[in-house]
Amino acid sequence: MKCIVYSSPFIPAEWIAAHELKPLRIVPRAASRAAIPAGMGVCPFARAFANEVLADAEAAGAIFATTCDQMRRLAEQTAAAGPANRIFLFNVPATWQSVTAQKIYLAELQRLGRWLETRGGAAPSRERLAETMVQATLPTALEKAASNRQAPALAVVGGPLLAEHRGIFDLIQHAGGRIVLDAAEGGERTRRAAWNRRSVREEPLLALADAYFGHIPDAFRRPNSELYAWLKRELAARQVHGIVFLHYIWCDLWRAEAQRLKEWCGLPVLVVELGDQAHFNAHVRSRIASFLEMLK
Amino acid sequence: MVCAGIDAGSRAIKVALMDSKGGKMLGSGVADQGVEQEALARRLFEDVLARAGIARNRVSRIVATGYGRNNVGFADTTITEITCHAVGVRHLVPDAMTIIEIGGQDSKLIRLNSRGAVQDFAMNDRCAAGTGCFLEMVARRLGISLSDLGQLAARSTKAAAISSMCAVFAETEIVGLLASGTAPEDIVAGVMTAVASRVAAMAGRTILPPVVFTGGVALIPRMAEALASVLKHPVSLSPEPQLTGAVGAAILASRK
Amino acid sequence: MNTSPRQITLDEWDVHYEALRAAGLREPPYGGPLRRHVERDSDLRLARLRFDNSPAALRLWNFLLTEEDRLQAARRDGTKIVGTMKDLGTVPVMAYSLPNVVAFYPDGAWWIPCVMELSDGLLGIANTLGVDESFCPVRAMLGAFLTEAHFPIPDLLICSAGATCDDFSAIAQRLNGLGYPILWWEIPSRRRPEAEEEAVDLPGGFTASRQQVDFVRAELERVRGALETLAGMPLTADRLAAGIRAANAVRRRFDELRRLVFSAERCPLPALELLIAEMLAIHFCSDREETIAVLDDLIAEVKRRIAAGQGVERAPASRESTCSLKQEPPTKVFWVNPVADLRVMNLLEDCGGRLCGTEFLFCHALDELPEDAPPMEALARAALADPMVGPATQRAERICRDAGRFGAEALILSRIPGASHCATEGEIIRGLVQERLGVPAVEIEVPPVSDSVAATLRSRIEALIETARERRCRCD
């Protein structure tokens, strides 16, 4: 089965699968071959994703999303560097409260469907889409770590993370922290909502759009109040003692939230800026250790 | 008994010996950091013990802190410099609520709660333009010593604007300013403002006074004034600014 | 009083102003010597600029530098004030279609740190909000809101979102998070219509799908509703059509001014004044009728200079050119992106260049709005023609077209520190310009106060001009 790669949580895997293509969500690695070099102002994650797409000759196509300006612009560069029509730029509206925003998202799903057909996919019937959706499993909440229950309960909040940087979870736990909420991209925050079963039967595409576009809180959304509403709920429910906030250098969307989050949440917040390097330097390790000392 | 704190910083190693009961400093010393970190730390530690007339076996516990703390193998344990500076400053300035520490390689802003425990902190280590090595570079460029920077800055009538957030580019800017005839005192004042601005950016909108300035850069005259001007709050110098991390480590050693 | 065109310092303007006054200079109510902006408003940067010496330029500067007075007067007389953000040119056309509304761009605060030589403290305030120098200087806007010292707080804030710069979007969201309500409207990423989609021509030579135009129109309908509520009256199709015609009256004048300036044998207006003038296009500097009067004065002055064969060029910087030509005309330069420090525009003439085209991020605000389409359709098309909402290649294509039109010999791409679009688009624009036009291009980064990098900037521009001249010699 031909494979379609993507990284944004706003791209429904079920829609790709219903087109009889294999959806593959990439968590790019910093060490990927670098056709697009590091540069002043270029987000390491967006660059890594573009490089991974360029290095992957197997995938039938790759989907970028407009959830950040860097991805939008790197989609253009990636498209220019590779075979024609291999890149699809999915227009995910930043606004979400208007009917137009919802219509744009739905129209983009339909346009994506047409593109998937050009990449070897087959247009799904309503029934096939519904069946694909019903069969898809929703990941459960973060598995409870077996670490010490007395350890400070932490939330990890932020945007996307390179594969190597997911190691921050281990780093925190080794330093004596207990992660009870993964609110980074790829974690609980960016999971679609459970299907509305009736809608799936009647209007599966609408149900799909609603579960993704209607329910994933993110920093890029305008306004991004739902992100804070979600955090408020989850931080309280998990009895979080502190937040480790992660963002990439040059990621304006998340970086600008750091201070606001500090002012808003009333909890200690450790801000960690990540760069192109795959490893965590001594400073990051030291900060995490300091943070946990403080919480203890 | 005696407790020891060793602050293995990026530019210097500092040792403090404290009376484990009364919290009185019994000895201290500072030496340049180098490649053989453990050997240098050990040498300094033994030197401070000798100068204080204290036998090694009287030292009940050693805590290492700082960037190179894990290289001090003879320490009993390690604690990060955030916690140590907080404890050290609070010991020396009991009413301190906000601590600014600027070292050679990073800068920190630490907020304390009413009990003196760390409530929140922010660190800058990515941008060298907010650290001591930036000031060193400027002094080198101007052919003066670090301690003369303050005297020079005092003569400034209009601080030059240093726009780059990267110390490498900022150095280019300084070369450009010199070439264009900008007075060295205005350049130094501009650099001090730039360092202070980066620290202020870590502070956010609320500064809880009293603000205490510590770390090696606090020894540079007028830096505290530059910080006060940007933060719009009085900034006082910590006694023994270079030693606060080591003092804090020694106090923490006594608490175990 | 008839004087030869020249760029003069603020000190020279003091003397010149008195001479003009003695000769019977007539000024609008906001007129006066430029010096007062330094003394009254701490616009310290003016003392470091060189200005065109015409009364028309004086009027232009005075108009620009008194906008806050107009906004404060609007607040006093009950006129509703709209702060419109990011779209650069579309929403103000709608706002000014209502008789009791004025609109301005809080984004314009990005020049305050430059004009006040950082004495304003706005960037420091942004720092404390966690919006540091990794963001575009537009972050000064946050400080301006908090201090309320540079413009009255608008009655309504409207900001486009979607295909916009991340840094700006994040700054606006930070403002929103501080308790300033914002009406967000979606501008989707413009794309070429697919084979099965209806294509719609947009101003500036772009195209979009009918579906995208309809989406934008629906979003602008929301903006329209908010403006109606604010104004307490309907924003009818007639009012909008009149507003579009009035905006086009301004835009036609820009077309004429730019054509005259770019095509004249000798350069009749300095780059700095043209940049300032073009800024009037996006929101009429809070007075649409006066914008027309200011532009008419400028056009008349430019025509007079052209007729007299006069220009403002300075002697070429590179006097020992390997080219055999002794007296070379200035190199024609196309300028991309506005500069955070106005002083850099003076460098162009200093280095032996002159403008022959510009793309200051809002060329869609200079293009005439379609008058043969229903007003909301016309506005939607104009909004989608924003060079920043589409692919950088399309922006580069337009730049190539416009640069070729007036014979650009070189291109300067001015990078805005921290602006997300600048990280990747420079390479694309430079590449296409070199491929299509074969002219040299250089990228410079201009901070709000550029004194510390002035020598570097000058070297780059001089080198560009030298390269262009060598190429000119080879072509000859």
Side-chain angles (χ1 to χ4, degrees):
Chain A
M1 190 183 278
K2 288 181 177 175
C3 174
I4 300 292
V5 298
Y6 65 101
S7 83
S8 169
F10 287 89
I11 307 300
E14 297 82 357
W15 186 231
I16 300 169
H19 282 79
E20 296 176 23
L21 293 165
K22 184 182 167 194
L24 182 63
R25 186 162 176 198
I26 292 183
V27 180
R29 300 187 70 81
S32 300
R33 283 193 300 169
I36 297 172
M40 186 85 160
V42 181
C43 163
F45 183 87
R47 188 178 79 86
F49 177 68
N51 278 324
E52 201 128 325
V53 167
L54 284 170
D56 182 355
E58 300 297 310
I63 305 168
F64 285 66
T66 60
T67 47
C68 84
D69 201 27
Q70 299 261 334
M71 279 288 189
R72 174 166 75 103
R73 292 178 179 280
L74 285 177
E76 185 183 357
Q77 272 182 268
T78 313
N85 200 34
R86 188 166 170 263
I87 304 298
F88 184 87
L89 180 61
F90 193 108
N91 209 329
V92 182
T95 56
W96 51 276
Q97 291 161 312
S98 72
V99 174
T100 312
Q102 292 152 22
K103 280 185 178 171
I104 291 175
Y105 184 80
L106 195 61
E108 285 295 282
L109 278 182
Q110 289 161 337
R111 195 168 68 84
L112 172 64
R114 294 197 294 274
W115 177 79
L116 290 172
E117 289 174 46
T118 70
R119 306 315 297 164
S125 64
R126 178 185 293 205
E127 290 71 26
R128 191 167 78 218
L129 174 59
E131 193 186 328
T132 309
M133 289 168 67
V134 169
Q135 282 175 359
T137 53
L138 187 64
T140 52
L142 189 71
E143 287 165 22
K144 295 280 180 286
S147 56
N148 180 6
R149 303 290 300 170
Q150 301 303 312
L154 297 177
V156 174
V157 179
L161 290 174
L162 294 172
E164 295 90 340
H165 293 159
R166 298 286 308 175
I168 196 127
F169 290 79
D170 289 339
L171 203 61
I172 292 169
Q173 295 194 142
H174 282 137
R178 181 166 53 98
I179 298 168
V180 295
L181 177 63
D182 176 3
E185 191 170 297
E188 296 163 71
R189 177 179 61 76
T190 56
R191 288 175 189 158
R192 64 161 172 83
W195 308 125
N196 177 327
R197 295 271 167 177
R198 197 167 132 192
S199 300
V200 169
R201 279 197 307 276
E202 291 170 0
E203 286 290 351
L205 192 59
L206 284 179
L208 190 74
D210 182 59
Y212 279 87
F213 186 67
H215 284 90
I216 299 176
D218 202 277
F220 90 96
R221 311 199 81 170
R222 295 293 174 261
N224 62 17
S225 45
E226 288 300 294
L227 171 65
Y228 286 86
W230 185 88
L231 282 173
K232 185 178 180 183
R233 204 169 52 238
E234 298 299 329
L235 293 173
R238 321 280 175 112
Q239 297 177 307
V240 168
H241 298 121
I243 294 173
V244 178
F245 181 88
L246 306 169
H247 71 82
Y248 280 103
I249 185 169
W250 306 118
C251 172
D252 300 328
L253 295 171
W254 281 99
R255 187 189 188 101
E257 299 301 325
Q259 187 64 27
R260 183 178 170 204
L261 183 72
K262 279 185 171 187
E263 292 169 7
W264 169 83
C265 71
L267 292 170
V269 178
L270 173 71
V271 178
V272 178
E273 183 180 83
L274 299 166
D276 280 292
Q277 304 88 347
H279 61 280
F280 295 109
N281 60 25
H283 291 297
V284 172
R285 293 171 191 276
S286 188
R287 271 181 209 202
I288 289 170
S290 299
F291 191 61
L292 285 159
E293 281 172 6
M294 183 183 90
L295 292 176
K296 286 171 184 168
Chain B
M1 291 301 281
V2 175
C3 287
I6 300 177
D7 180 356
S10 61
R11 311 309 304 263
I13 306 170
K14 289 81 71 175
V15 170
L17 303 176
M18 305 286 287
D19 163 16
S20 60
K21 286 190 182 138
K24 185 181 160 200
M25 197 176 332
L26 303 173
S28 66
V30 179
D32 285 346
Q33 184 60 284
V35 179
E36 299 290 333
Q37 295 192 14
E38 170 141 25
L40 289 166
R42 189 184 293 277
R43 199 175 307 146
L44 177 65
F45 175 57
E46 286 168 357
D47 181 49
V48 171
L49 282 173
R51 277 192 282 116
I54 296 169
R56 173 69 177 82
N57 60 6
R58 280 189 63 206
V59 179
S60 59
R61 192 172 168 79
I62 303 170
V63 168
T65 187
Y67 182 70
R69 63 185 180 279
N70 292 321
N71 296 324
V72 185
F74 59 95
D76 294 296
T77 191
T78 61
I79 297 176
T80 68
E81 56 270 37
I82 296 285
T83 307
C84 291
H85 277 294
V87 171
V89 169
R90 192 71 173 207
H91 174 75
L92 297 164
V93 187
D95 61 345
M97 292 301 287
T98 301
I99 301 168
I100 292 168
E101 196 271 341
I102 307 182
Q105 206 176 50
D106 64 15
S107 50
K108 311 172 187 75
L109 187 132
I110 306 168
R111 286 192 186 84
L112 306 180
N113 62 21
S114 56
R115 291 177 286 109
V118 178
Q119 182 177 306
D120 182 21
F121 69 90
M123 290 173 80
N124 161 37
D125 50 45
R126 191 167 282 281
C127 163
T131 67
C133 66
F134 186 40
L135 291 162
E136 276 185 338
M137 178 273 290
V138 175
R140 206 169 46 243
R141 273 278 167 201
L142 297 176
I144 57 172
S145 70
L146 264 177
S147 55
D148 290 339
L149 283 178
Q151 207 175 9
L152 196 59
R155 296 208 297 266
S156 169
T157 51
K158 190 186 180 200
I162 309 290
S163 61
S164 181
M165 63 188 291
C166 165
V168 178
F169 293 138
E171 183 170 4
T172 312
E173 288 187 43
I174 289 160
V175 172
L177 286 167
L178 285 169
S180 67
T182 306
E185 52 265 35
D186 290 340
I187 296 175
V188 174
V191 167
M192 287 186 162
T193 305
V195 172
S197 299
R198 280 155 184 83
V199 172
M202 291 191 288
R205 283 192 291 168
T206 46
I207 294 275
L208 205 57
V211 182
V212 178
F213 181 24
T214 188
V217 173
L219 295 167
I220 299 172
R222 294 202 68 81
M223 211 35 240
E225 287 86 339
L227 282 166
S229 165
V230 173
L231 291 169
K232 298 184 175 60
H233 274 283
V235 172
S236 61
L237 278 177
S238 166
E240 308 284 0
Q242 224 179 346
L243 286 173
T244 48
V247 167
I251 293 170
L252 286 165
S254 72
R255 288 182 187 170
K256 297 283 179 185
Chain C
M1 194 171 127
N2 225 344
T3 48
S4 322
R6 211 155 63 82
Q7 287 174 285
I8 60 175
T9 63
L10 190 68
D11 288 342
E12 290 171 318
W13 249 117
D14 290 341
V15 177
H16 186 50
Y17 181 77
E18 289 310 320
L20 286 172
R21 289 264 293 175
L25 173 71
R26 290 175 61 187
E27 290 188 277
Y30 54 82
L34 285 176
R35 174 74 60 185
R36 77 189 196 282
H37 302 295
V38 179
E39 289 166 355
R40 190 191 71 172
D41 305 323
S42 298
D43 292 346
L44 307 172
R45 200 62 174 164
L46 301 189
R48 309 291 298 272
L49 301 179
R50 277 181 299 99
F51 307 87
D52 184 87
N53 65 343
S54 65
L58 175 69
R59 183 176 188 175
L60 169 70
W61 280 102
N62 277 328
F63 184 50
L64 177 87
L65 296 169
T66 55
E67 183 175 16
E68 188 192 342
D69 299 341
R70 283 189 291 284
L71 290 170
Q72 296 292 1
R75 169 61 38 90
R76 283 193 299 276
D77 71 17
T79 301
K80 299 295 182 189
I81 300 174
V82 174
T84 176
M85 300 192 281
K86 194 66 200 104
D87 70 288
L88 298 182
T90 304
V91 172
V93 176
M94 300 172 75
Y96 282 94
S97 299
L98 288 158
N100 59 343
V101 174
V102 292
F104 77 103
Y105 281 90
D107 324 14
W110 88 303
W111 266 337
I112 296 172
C114 160
V115 173
M116 296 181 70
E117 289 195 336
L118 308 179
S119 62
D120 49 289
L122 299 186
L123 297 180
I125 295 172
N127 282 343
T128 65
L129 294 167
V131 181
D132 63 12
E133 61 267 85
S134 65
F135 292 81
C136 155
V138 172
R139 66 197 175 100
M141 177 179 86
L142 292 171
F145 270 94
L146 292 193
T147 59
E148 299 188 21
H150 301 280
F151 49 70
I153 302 303
D155 299 298
L156 172 65
L157 282 170
I158 299 171
C159 185
S160 58
T164 60
C165 308
D166 281 346
D167 49 297
F168 186 85
S169 186
I171 292 165
Q173 177 60 67
R174 188 75 178 97
L175 182 68
N176 188 213
L178 290 168
Y180 296 86
I182 293 175
L183 170 72
W184 305 95
W185 63 280
E186 188 75 27
I187 184 80
S189 176
R190 187 184 64 236
R191 56 176 176 80
R192 288 203 167 91
E194 292 170 2
E196 60 272 33
E197 290 183 307
E198 181 190 341
V200 177
D201 289 335
L202 308 177
F206 301 120
T207 54
S209 71
R210 163 50 56 199
Q211 193 180 45
Q212 282 205 313
V213 174
D214 288 347
F215 284 145
V216 174
R217 199 178 62 214
E219 284 297 271
L220 290 177
E221 285 291 357
R222 288 201 299 123
V223 172
R224 181 187 194 174
L227 289 171
E228 287 175 334
T229 305
L230 178 73
M233 66 179 75
L235 183 47
T236 61
D238 285 347
R239 281 199 171 111
L240 277 172
I244 286 173
R245 284 194 299 275
N248 279 343
V250 174
R251 294 178 184 203
R252 276 193 290 276
R253 281 168 171 82
F254 274 112
D255 185 55
E256 183 178 12
L257 177 66
R258 283 159 54 89
R259 191 173 41 76
L260 288 167
V261 171
F262 299 155
S263 62
E265 194 167 325
R266 299 196 59 193
C267 181
L269 194 68
L272 177 59
E273 273 72 18
L274 193 75
L275 168 66
I276 296 302
E278 288 195 15
M279 286 293 153
L280 307 187
I282 58 173
H283 73 283
F284 318 120
C285 212
S286 302
D287 187 336
R288 194 176 56 194
E289 298 315 309
E290 189 59 25
T291 291
I292 289 175
V294 168
L295 289 176
D296 283 344
D297 264 14
L298 277 176
I299 291 168
E301 179 64 27
V302 163
K303 283 181 173 171
R304 190 188 67 72
R305 290 175 177 184
I306 291 171
Q310 295 174 324
V312 292
E313 313 85 332
R314 291 166 72 88
S318 176
R319 289 163 213 284
E320 298 300 322
S321 170
T322 52
C323 174
S324 59
L325 290 170
K326 296 291 182 200
Q327 288 294 321
E328 295 177 73
T331 302
K332 290 183 167 183
V333 175
F334 191 96
W335 198 295
V336 179
N337 294 341
V339 285
D341 184 355
L342 297 171
R343 196 174 173 214
V344 172
M345 296 311 286
N346 280 157
L347 273 180
L348 185 61
E349 286 93 11
D350 283 358
C351 297
R354 61 170 284 193
L355 280 185
C356 78
T358 60
E359 208 282 50
F360 291 137
L361 299 174
F362 54 82
C363 53
H364 60 303
L366 300 169
D367 295 325
E368 280 194 52
L369 292 144
E371 289 186 27
D372 56 352
M376 292 303 286
E377 166 79 12
L379 290 162
R381 290 188 205 169
L384 261 176
D386 182 340
M388 303 309 293
V389 309
T393 317
Q394 289 186 14
R395 185 179 183 214
E397 282 166 357
R398 174 160 191 180
I399 287 168
C400 286
R401 273 200 312 274
D402 291 353
R405 188 173 162 210
F406 293 108
E409 298 171 284
L411 180 133
I412 293 175
L413 232 161
S414 171
R415 216 175 140 126
I416 301 165
S420 63
H421 62 94
C422 290
T424 49
E425 71 177 2
E427 195 68 29
I428 294 171
I429 294 171
R430 278 197 310 167
L432 202 71
V433 163
Q434 279 161 357
E435 178 194 314
R436 297 260 173 99
L437 304 177
V439 302
V442 72
E443 209 168 344
I444 57 174
E445 182 164 291
V446 181
V449 175
S450 69
D451 299 357
S452 59
V453 288
T456 311
L457 295 176
R458 178 183 279 274
S459 291
R460 288 195 182 190
I461 296 174
E462 279 186 1
L464 176 79
I465 295 207
E466 283 169 6
T467 309
R469 291 203 174 161
E470 291 302 319
R471 185 176 171 276
R472 187 192 282 173
C473 293
R474 286 199 305 274
C475 292
D476 288 348

